[in-house]
PDB file of all heavy atoms in Angstrom:
ATOM      1  N   PHE A  19      91.163 102.741 100.260  1.00  0.00           N
ATOM      2  CA  PHE A  19      91.281 101.284 100.317  1.00  0.00           C
ATOM      3  C   PHE A  19      90.825 100.752 101.671  1.00  0.00           C
ATOM      4  O   PHE A  19      90.019  99.822 101.752  1.00  0.00           O
ATOM      5  CB  PHE A  19      92.729 100.881 100.038  1.00  0.00           C
ATOM      6  CG  PHE A  19      93.031  99.436 100.330  1.00  0.00           C
ATOM      7  CD1 PHE A  19      92.727  98.455  99.397  1.00  0.00           C
ATOM      8  CD2 PHE A  19      93.621  99.069 101.525  1.00  0.00           C
ATOM      9  CE1 PHE A  19      93.009  97.120  99.664  1.00  0.00           C
ATOM     10  CE2 PHE A  19      93.908  97.738 101.797  1.00  0.00           C
ATOM     11  CZ  PHE A  19      93.596  96.756 100.868  1.00  0.00           C
ATOM     12  N   PHE A  23      87.559  98.323 102.012  1.00  0.00           N
ATOM     13  CA  PHE A  23      87.725  96.915 102.360  1.00  0.00           C
ATOM     14  C   PHE A  23      87.384  96.605 103.810  1.00  0.00           C
ATOM     15  O   PHE A  23      86.872  95.527 104.107  1.00  0.00           O
ATOM     16  CB  PHE A  23      89.158  96.445 102.061  1.00  0.00           C
ATOM     17  CG  PHE A  23      89.326  95.903 100.683  1.00  0.00           C
ATOM     18  CD1 PHE A  23      89.611  96.751  99.633  1.00  0.00           C
ATOM     19  CD2 PHE A  23      89.178  94.553 100.414  1.00  0.00           C
ATOM     20  CE1 PHE A  23      89.746  96.279  98.340  1.00  0.00           C
ATOM     21  CE2 PHE A  23      89.312  94.063  99.119  1.00  0.00           C
ATOM     22  CZ  PHE A  23      89.599  94.918  98.085  1.00  0.00           C
ATOM     23  N   PHE A  24      87.684  97.523 104.724  1.00  0.00           N
ATOM     24  CA  PHE A  24      87.573  97.215 106.151  1.00  0.00           C
ATOM     25  C   PHE A  24      86.645  98.157 106.916  1.00  0.00           C
ATOM     26  O   PHE A  24      86.603  98.131 108.137  1.00  0.00           O
ATOM     27  CB  PHE A  24      88.962  97.229 106.797  1.00  0.00           C
ATOM     28  CG  PHE A  24      89.901  96.245 106.158  1.00  0.00           C
ATOM     29  CD1 PHE A  24      90.911  96.688 105.324  1.00  0.00           C
ATOM     30  CD2 PHE A  24      89.755  94.887 106.365  1.00  0.00           C
ATOM     31  CE1 PHE A  24      91.780  95.785 104.722  1.00  0.00           C
ATOM     32  CE2 PHE A  24      90.615  93.976 105.766  1.00  0.00           C
ATOM     33  CZ  PHE A  24      91.630  94.428 104.946  1.00  0.00           C
ATOM     34  N   ILE A  76     100.334  92.615 107.562  1.00  0.00           N
ATOM     35  CA  ILE A  76      99.472  92.740 108.727  1.00  0.00           C
ATOM     36  C   ILE A  76      98.350  91.736 108.513  1.00  0.00           C
ATOM     37  O   ILE A  76      97.888  91.534 107.387  1.00  0.00           O
ATOM     38  CB  ILE A  76      98.932  94.177 108.892  1.00  0.00           C
ATOM     39  CG1 ILE A  76      98.112  94.310 110.162  1.00  0.00           C
ATOM     40  CG2 ILE A  76      98.156  94.629 107.675  1.00  0.00           C
ATOM     41  CD1 ILE A  76      97.753  95.745 110.508  1.00  0.00           C
ATOM     42  N   ALA A  77      97.958  91.047 109.564  1.00  0.00           N
ATOM     43  CA  ALA A  77      96.859  90.083 109.480  1.00  0.00           C
ATOM     44  C   ALA A  77      95.647  90.691 110.171  1.00  0.00           C
ATOM     45  O   ALA A  77      95.751  91.179 111.298  1.00  0.00           O
ATOM     46  CB  ALA A  77      97.252  88.770 110.146  1.00  0.00           C
ATOM     47  N   ILE A  78      94.522  90.661 109.484  1.00  0.00           N
ATOM     48  CA  ILE A  78      93.290  91.213 110.039  1.00  0.00           C
ATOM     49  C   ILE A  78      92.260  90.097 110.118  1.00  0.00           C
ATOM     50  O   ILE A  78      91.946  89.452 109.115  1.00  0.00           O
ATOM     51  CB  ILE A  78      92.765  92.380 109.187  1.00  0.00           C
ATOM     52  CG1 ILE A  78      93.804  93.500 109.192  1.00  0.00           C
ATOM     53  CG2 ILE A  78      91.421  92.865 109.709  1.00  0.00           C
ATOM     54  CD1 ILE A  78      93.423  94.703 108.377  1.00  0.00           C
ATOM     55  N   ASN A  79      91.761  89.871 111.328  1.00  0.00           N
ATOM     56  CA  ASN A  79      90.708  88.883 111.537  1.00  0.00           C
ATOM     57  C   ASN A  79      89.412  89.497 111.046  1.00  0.00           C
ATOM     58  O   ASN A  79      88.907  90.448 111.639  1.00  0.00           O
ATOM     59  CB  ASN A  79      90.628  88.519 113.017  1.00  0.00           C
ATOM     60  CG  ASN A  79      89.612  87.444 113.284  1.00  0.00           C
ATOM     61  OD1 ASN A  79      88.649  87.266 112.529  1.00  0.00           O
ATOM     62  ND2 ASN A  79      89.801  86.726 114.374  1.00  0.00           N
ATOM     63  N   VAL A  80      88.877  88.973 109.951  1.00  0.00           N
ATOM     64  CA  VAL A  80      87.660  89.526 109.352  1.00  0.00           C
ATOM     65  C   VAL A  80      86.410  88.767 109.768  1.00  0.00           C
ATOM     66  O   VAL A  80      85.312  89.076 109.308  1.00  0.00           O
ATOM     67  CB  VAL A  80      87.771  89.596 107.811  1.00  0.00           C
ATOM     68  CG1 VAL A  80      88.926  90.509 107.410  1.00  0.00           C
ATOM     69  CG2 VAL A  80      87.924  88.216 107.197  1.00  0.00           C
ATOM     70  N   GLY A  81      86.558  87.762 110.626  1.00  0.00           N
ATOM     71  CA  GLY A  81      85.402  87.096 111.193  1.00  0.00           C
ATOM     72  C   GLY A  81      85.269  85.630 110.844  1.00  0.00           C
ATOM     73  O   GLY A  81      85.473  84.776 111.692  1.00  0.00           O
ATOM     74  N   ASN A  82      84.925  85.319 109.598  1.00  0.00           N
ATOM     75  CA  ASN A  82      84.655  83.920 109.267  1.00  0.00           C
ATOM     76  C   ASN A  82      85.082  83.611 107.828  1.00  0.00           C
ATOM     77  O   ASN A  82      85.481  84.496 107.080  1.00  0.00           O
ATOM     78  CB  ASN A  82      83.173  83.585 109.495  1.00  0.00           C
ATOM     79  CG  ASN A  82      82.254  84.469 108.680  1.00  0.00           C
ATOM     80  OD1 ASN A  82      82.456  84.650 107.477  1.00  0.00           O
ATOM     81  ND2 ASN A  82      81.248  85.040 109.326  1.00  0.00           N
ATOM     82  N   THR A  85      83.384  85.553 104.962  1.00  0.00           N
ATOM     83  CA  THR A  85      83.866  86.927 104.809  1.00  0.00           C
ATOM     84  C   THR A  85      85.227  86.948 104.121  1.00  0.00           C
ATOM     85  O   THR A  85      85.479  87.789 103.257  1.00  0.00           O
ATOM     86  CB  THR A  85      83.924  87.654 106.166  1.00  0.00           C
ATOM     87  OG1 THR A  85      82.630  87.595 106.768  1.00  0.00           O
ATOM     88  CG2 THR A  85      84.332  89.102 105.999  1.00  0.00           C
ATOM     89  N   VAL A  86      86.111  86.017 104.477  1.00  0.00           N
ATOM     90  CA  VAL A  86      87.400  85.914 103.775  1.00  0.00           C
ATOM     91  C   VAL A  86      87.142  85.706 102.290  1.00  0.00           C
ATOM     92  O   VAL A  86      87.736  86.384 101.444  1.00  0.00           O
ATOM     93  CB  VAL A  86      88.271  84.772 104.350  1.00  0.00           C
ATOM     94  CG1 VAL A  86      89.494  84.523 103.459  1.00  0.00           C
ATOM     95  CG2 VAL A  86      88.713  85.088 105.770  1.00  0.00           C
ATOM     96  N   ASN A  87      86.243  84.785 101.961  1.00  0.00           N
ATOM     97  CA  ASN A  87      85.952  84.495 100.553  1.00  0.00           C
ATOM     98  C   ASN A  87      85.382  85.713  99.825  1.00  0.00           C
ATOM     99  O   ASN A  87      85.785  86.014  98.699  1.00  0.00           O
ATOM    100  CB  ASN A  87      84.988  83.316 100.443  1.00  0.00           C
ATOM    101  CG  ASN A  87      85.620  82.007 100.842  1.00  0.00           C
ATOM    102  OD1 ASN A  87      86.833  81.845 100.787  1.00  0.00           O
ATOM    103  ND2 ASN A  87      84.799  81.066 101.273  1.00  0.00           N
ATOM    104  N   GLU A  88      84.453  86.411 100.456  1.00  0.00           N
ATOM    105  CA  GLU A  88      83.848  87.603  99.842  1.00  0.00           C
ATOM    106  C   GLU A  88      84.883  88.689  99.603  1.00  0.00           C
ATOM    107  O   GLU A  88      84.924  89.297  98.525  1.00  0.00           O
ATOM    108  CB  GLU A  88      82.723  88.134 100.730  1.00  0.00           C
ATOM    109  CG  GLU A  88      81.511  87.236 100.796  1.00  0.00           C
ATOM    110  CD  GLU A  88      80.559  87.605 101.930  1.00  0.00           C
ATOM    111  OE1 GLU A  88      80.722  88.677 102.549  1.00  0.00           O
ATOM    112  OE2 GLU A  88      79.647  86.795 102.205  1.00  0.00           O
ATOM    113  N   MET A  89      85.733  88.930 100.594  1.00  0.00           N
ATOM    114  CA  MET A  89      86.739  89.985 100.463  1.00  0.00           C
ATOM    115  C   MET A  89      87.813  89.589  99.455  1.00  0.00           C
ATOM    116  O   MET A  89      88.313  90.438  98.716  1.00  0.00           O
ATOM    117  CB  MET A  89      87.331  90.327 101.826  1.00  0.00           C
ATOM    118  CG  MET A  89      86.293  90.957 102.755  1.00  0.00           C
ATOM    119  SD  MET A  89      86.943  91.313 104.394  1.00  0.00           S
ATOM    120  CE  MET A  89      87.926  92.771 104.002  1.00  0.00           C
ATOM    121  N   ALA A  90      88.158  88.307  99.411  1.00  0.00           N
ATOM    122  CA  ALA A  90      89.139  87.839  98.426  1.00  0.00           C
ATOM    123  C   ALA A  90      88.586  88.015  97.012  1.00  0.00           C
ATOM    124  O   ALA A  90      89.316  88.427  96.101  1.00  0.00           O
ATOM    125  CB  ALA A  90      89.503  86.387  98.689  1.00  0.00           C
ATOM    126  N   GLU A  91      87.321  87.747  96.825  1.00  0.00           N
ATOM    127  CA  GLU A  91      86.706  87.928  95.506  1.00  0.00           C
ATOM    128  C   GLU A  91      86.688  89.409  95.125  1.00  0.00           C
ATOM    129  O   GLU A  91      86.970  89.767  93.978  1.00  0.00           O
ATOM    130  CB  GLU A  91      85.290  87.347  95.482  1.00  0.00           C
ATOM    131  CG  GLU A  91      84.546  87.581  94.188  1.00  0.00           C
ATOM    132  CD  GLU A  91      85.234  87.061  92.933  1.00  0.00           C
ATOM    133  OE1 GLU A  91      86.101  86.163  93.013  1.00  0.00           O
ATOM    134  OE2 GLU A  91      84.904  87.557  91.835  1.00  0.00           O
ATOM    135  N   ALA A  93      88.794  91.646  96.094  1.00  0.00           N
ATOM    136  CA  ALA A  93      90.184  91.981  95.768  1.00  0.00           C
ATOM    137  C   ALA A  93      90.558  91.446  94.382  1.00  0.00           C
ATOM    138  O   ALA A  93      91.234  92.125  93.610  1.00  0.00           O
ATOM    139  CB  ALA A  93      91.125  91.423  96.831  1.00  0.00           C
ATOM    140  N   LEU A  99      94.329  90.703  94.526  1.00  0.00           N
ATOM    141  CA  LEU A  99      94.455  89.415  95.196  1.00  0.00           C
ATOM    142  C   LEU A  99      95.857  88.852  94.975  1.00  0.00           C
ATOM    143  O   LEU A  99      96.270  88.585  93.854  1.00  0.00           O
ATOM    144  CB  LEU A  99      93.405  88.436  94.676  1.00  0.00           C
ATOM    145  CG  LEU A  99      93.336  87.079  95.371  1.00  0.00           C
ATOM    146  CD1 LEU A  99      92.962  87.237  96.838  1.00  0.00           C
ATOM    147  CD2 LEU A  99      92.350  86.174  94.660  1.00  0.00           C
ATOM    148  N   ALA A 103      92.071  82.450  98.792  1.00  0.00           N
ATOM    149  CA  ALA A 103      91.664  81.905 100.088  1.00  0.00           C
ATOM    150  C   ALA A 103      91.983  80.415 100.156  1.00  0.00           C
ATOM    151  O   ALA A 103      91.801  79.685  99.184  1.00  0.00           O
ATOM    152  CB  ALA A 103      90.175  82.159 100.298  1.00  0.00           C
ATOM    153  N   ARG A 104      92.478  79.984 101.323  1.00  0.00           N
ATOM    154  CA  ARG A 104      92.891  78.590 101.496  1.00  0.00           C
ATOM    155  C   ARG A 104      93.083  78.303 102.975  1.00  0.00           C
ATOM    156  O   ARG A 104      93.234  79.213 103.784  1.00  0.00           O
ATOM    157  CB  ARG A 104      94.200  78.322 100.760  1.00  0.00           C
ATOM    158  CG  ARG A 104      95.394  78.971 101.479  1.00  0.00           C
ATOM    159  CD  ARG A 104      96.427  79.508 100.538  1.00  0.00           C
ATOM    160  NE  ARG A 104      97.505  80.199 101.221  1.00  0.00           N
ATOM    161  CZ  ARG A 104      97.483  81.482 101.544  1.00  0.00           C
ATOM    162  NH1 ARG A 104      96.428  82.219 101.295  1.00  0.00           N
ATOM    163  NH2 ARG A 104      98.511  82.054 102.117  1.00  0.00           N
ATOM    164  N   PHE A 110      95.040  77.927 109.671  1.00  0.00           N
ATOM    165  CA  PHE A 110      94.356  79.200 109.448  1.00  0.00           C
ATOM    166  C   PHE A 110      93.659  79.200 108.090  1.00  0.00           C
ATOM    167  O   PHE A 110      94.177  78.621 107.133  1.00  0.00           O
ATOM    168  CB  PHE A 110      95.345  80.373 109.492  1.00  0.00           C
ATOM    169  CG  PHE A 110      95.906  80.638 110.846  1.00  0.00           C
ATOM    170  CD1 PHE A 110      97.154  80.139 111.195  1.00  0.00           C
ATOM    171  CD2 PHE A 110      95.204  81.385 111.775  1.00  0.00           C
ATOM    172  CE1 PHE A 110      97.685  80.383 112.442  1.00  0.00           C
ATOM    173  CE2 PHE A 110      95.728  81.638 113.032  1.00  0.00           C
ATOM    174  CZ  PHE A 110      96.966  81.129 113.372  1.00  0.00           C
ATOM    175  N   TYR A 111      92.513  79.847 108.018  1.00  0.00           N
ATOM    176  CA  TYR A 111      91.874  80.092 106.724  1.00  0.00           C
ATOM    177  C   TYR A 111      92.163  81.534 106.382  1.00  0.00           C
ATOM    178  O   TYR A 111      91.807  82.452 107.139  1.00  0.00           O
ATOM    179  CB  TYR A 111      90.368  79.838 106.774  1.00  0.00           C
ATOM    180  CG  TYR A 111      89.758  79.840 105.394  1.00  0.00           C
ATOM    181  CD1 TYR A 111      89.906  78.733 104.557  1.00  0.00           C
ATOM    182  CD2 TYR A 111      89.071  80.939 104.909  1.00  0.00           C
ATOM    183  CE1 TYR A 111      89.379  78.720 103.272  1.00  0.00           C
ATOM    184  CE2 TYR A 111      88.533  80.934 103.627  1.00  0.00           C
ATOM    185  CZ  TYR A 111      88.688  79.825 102.819  1.00  0.00           C
ATOM    186  OH  TYR A 111      88.174  79.815 101.551  1.00  0.00           O
ATOM    187  N   GLU A 112      92.844  81.757 105.269  1.00  0.00           N
ATOM    188  CA  GLU A 112      93.273  83.110 104.952  1.00  0.00           C
ATOM    189  C   GLU A 112      93.383  83.319 103.456  1.00  0.00           C
ATOM    190  O   GLU A 112      93.477  82.381 102.669  1.00  0.00           O
ATOM    191  CB  GLU A 112      94.618  83.433 105.616  1.00  0.00           C
ATOM    192  CG  GLU A 112      95.782  82.642 105.041  1.00  0.00           C
ATOM    193  CD  GLU A 112      97.098  82.901 105.747  1.00  0.00           C
ATOM    194  OE1 GLU A 112      97.091  83.192 106.958  1.00  0.00           O
ATOM    195  OE2 GLU A 112      98.131  82.821 105.077  1.00  0.00           O
ATOM    196  N   ALA A 113      93.366  84.585 103.093  1.00  0.00           N
ATOM    197  CA  ALA A 113      93.692  85.050 101.751  1.00  0.00           C
ATOM    198  C   ALA A 113      94.627  86.237 101.944  1.00  0.00           C
ATOM    199  O   ALA A 113      94.653  86.855 103.013  1.00  0.00           O
ATOM    200  CB  ALA A 113      92.433  85.481 101.008  1.00  0.00           C
ATOM    201  N   VAL A 114      95.392  86.554 100.915  1.00  0.00           N
ATOM    202  CA  VAL A 114      96.298  87.703 101.000  1.00  0.00           C
ATOM    203  C   VAL A 114      95.932  88.672  99.887  1.00  0.00           C
ATOM    204  O   VAL A 114      95.841  88.294  98.717  1.00  0.00           O
ATOM    205  CB  VAL A 114      97.777  87.278 100.879  1.00  0.00           C
ATOM    206  CG1 VAL A 114      98.687  88.487 100.961  1.00  0.00           C
ATOM    207  CG2 VAL A 114      98.126  86.255 101.957  1.00  0.00           C
ATOM    208  N   ILE A 115      95.708  89.928 100.286  1.00  0.00           N
ATOM    209  CA  ILE A 115      95.393  90.973  99.318  1.00  0.00           C
ATOM    210  C   ILE A 115      96.476  92.046  99.373  1.00  0.00           C
ATOM    211  O   ILE A 115      97.307  92.050 100.283  1.00  0.00           O
ATOM    212  CB  ILE A 115      93.988  91.584  99.578  1.00  0.00           C
ATOM    213  CG1 ILE A 115      93.938  92.311 100.924  1.00  0.00           C
ATOM    214  CG2 ILE A 115      92.925  90.494  99.504  1.00  0.00           C
ATOM    215  CD1 ILE A 115      92.621  93.078 101.156  1.00  0.00           C
ATOM    216  N   ARG A 122     101.244  93.603 101.719  1.00  0.00           N
ATOM    217  CA  ARG A 122     100.404  92.423 101.893  1.00  0.00           C
ATOM    218  C   ARG A 122      99.555  92.528 103.161  1.00  0.00           C
ATOM    219  O   ARG A 122     100.069  92.873 104.220  1.00  0.00           O
ATOM    220  CB  ARG A 122     101.247  91.168 101.922  1.00  0.00           C
ATOM    221  CG  ARG A 122     101.931  90.929 100.600  1.00  0.00           C
ATOM    222  CD  ARG A 122     102.835  89.709 100.622  1.00  0.00           C
ATOM    223  NE  ARG A 122     103.463  89.541  99.326  1.00  0.00           N
ATOM    224  CZ  ARG A 122     102.912  88.870  98.315  1.00  0.00           C
ATOM    225  NH1 ARG A 122     101.736  88.303  98.472  1.00  0.00           N
ATOM    226  NH2 ARG A 122     103.528  88.768  97.159  1.00  0.00           N
ATOM    227  N   ILE A 123      98.275  92.179 103.004  1.00  0.00           N
ATOM    228  CA  ILE A 123      97.348  92.128 104.131  1.00  0.00           C
ATOM    229  C   ILE A 123      96.700  90.755 104.112  1.00  0.00           C
ATOM    230  O   ILE A 123      96.090  90.361 103.123  1.00  0.00           O
ATOM    231  CB  ILE A 123      96.259  93.225 103.999  1.00  0.00           C
ATOM    232  CG1 ILE A 123      96.912  94.603 103.973  1.00  0.00           C
ATOM    233  CG2 ILE A 123      95.254  93.101 105.153  1.00  0.00           C
ATOM    234  CD1 ILE A 123      95.932  95.713 103.635  1.00  0.00           C
ATOM    235  N   GLU A 124      96.892  90.008 105.203  1.00  0.00           N
ATOM    236  CA  GLU A 124      96.258  88.707 105.322  1.00  0.00           C
ATOM    237  C   GLU A 124      94.868  88.879 105.897  1.00  0.00           C
ATOM    238  O   GLU A 124      94.677  89.531 106.915  1.00  0.00           O
ATOM    239  CB  GLU A 124      97.063  87.790 106.253  1.00  0.00           C
ATOM    240  CG  GLU A 124      98.383  87.343 105.685  1.00  0.00           C
ATOM    241  CD  GLU A 124      99.134  86.422 106.631  1.00  0.00           C
ATOM    242  OE1 GLU A 124      98.616  86.096 107.726  1.00  0.00           O
ATOM    243  OE2 GLU A 124     100.248  86.025 106.282  1.00  0.00           O
ATOM    244  N   LEU A 125      93.892  88.304 105.219  1.00  0.00           N
ATOM    245  CA  LEU A 125      92.522  88.264 105.715  1.00  0.00           C
ATOM    246  C   LEU A 125      92.354  86.904 106.383  1.00  0.00           C
ATOM    247  O   LEU A 125      92.480  85.870 105.727  1.00  0.00           O
ATOM    248  CB  LEU A 125      91.536  88.387 104.555  1.00  0.00           C
ATOM    249  CG  LEU A 125      91.736  89.578 103.624  1.00  0.00           C
ATOM    250  CD1 LEU A 125      90.770  89.494 102.447  1.00  0.00           C
ATOM    251  CD2 LEU A 125      91.554  90.890 104.375  1.00  0.00           C
ATOM    252  N   VAL A 126      92.105  86.901 107.683  1.00  0.00           N
ATOM    253  CA  VAL A 126      92.079  85.667 108.449  1.00  0.00           C
ATOM    254  C   VAL A 126      90.691  85.451 109.016  1.00  0.00           C
ATOM    255  O   VAL A 126      90.059  86.393 109.523  1.00  0.00           O
ATOM    256  CB  VAL A 126      93.113  85.735 109.601  1.00  0.00           C
ATOM    257  CG1 VAL A 126      93.108  84.456 110.421  1.00  0.00           C
ATOM    258  CG2 VAL A 126      94.500  86.015 109.060  1.00  0.00           C
ATOM    259  N   ALA A 127      90.204  84.195 108.957  1.00  0.00           N
ATOM    260  CA  ALA A 127      88.933  83.844 109.588  1.00  0.00           C
ATOM    261  C   ALA A 127      89.193  83.588 111.073  1.00  0.00           C
ATOM    262  O   ALA A 127      90.146  82.907 111.419  1.00  0.00           O
ATOM    263  CB  ALA A 127      88.333  82.608 108.943  1.00  0.00           C
TER     264      ALA A 127
END
Side-chain angles (χ1 to χ4, degrees):
F19 169 82
F23 270 87
F24 301 106
I76 184 170
I78 298 179
N79 183 335
V80 299
N82 58 48
T85 304
V86 170
N87 290 336
E88 291 166 11
M89 294 178 75
E91 176 57 21
L99 185 62
R104 73 216 176 273
F110 291 98
Y111 191 77
E112 68 183 31
V114 180
I115 65 173
R122 295 177 180 273
I123 300 171
E124 290 181 2
L125 307 175
V126 180

